[in-house]
Amino acid sequence: MRPDRSTGRPGPPSTLLSVRDLRISFGGIAAVRGLSFDVRPREVLALVGESGAGKSLTARALLGMLPRGAAMAGEIRLDGSTDLAAARGRRIALVPQDALSALSPCTPWGTNSPPP
């Protein structure tokens, strides 16, 4: 059994990603309400729901990339850290379902990507 990252002792794997009571709203209108989950090493999590259910907003919150006007509450930790911007593109990333509509092949990457 591999050591737990948080304690260094043998045991179950530590949580890589932890989301607690995530709430996202726009002008007081809730878009995501009280979402909580954990992802451990070798686990896969699928966010499934109707159009407008908040899947993309949740993914953007995990990257620290919510749109202007969005208010977020709750806690997101990646490997125990809340500094999501430092991990963006290195430890956590978003691959859009339809990358061609999300990224322009005619635009330099730096223009498509937010600053680190």
Side-chain angles (χ1 to χ4, degrees), residues 63 93-99:
L63 295 168
L94 170 66
V95 177
Q97 188 172 21
D98 182 6

Side-chain angles (χ1 to χ4, degrees), residues 20-38:
R20 291 287 169 267
D21 195 27
L22 179 65
R23 289 170 278 131
I24 302 169
S25 61
F26 292 88
I29 299 172
V32 175
R33 299 179 190 106
L35 179 64
S36 296
F37 61 86
D38 291 322

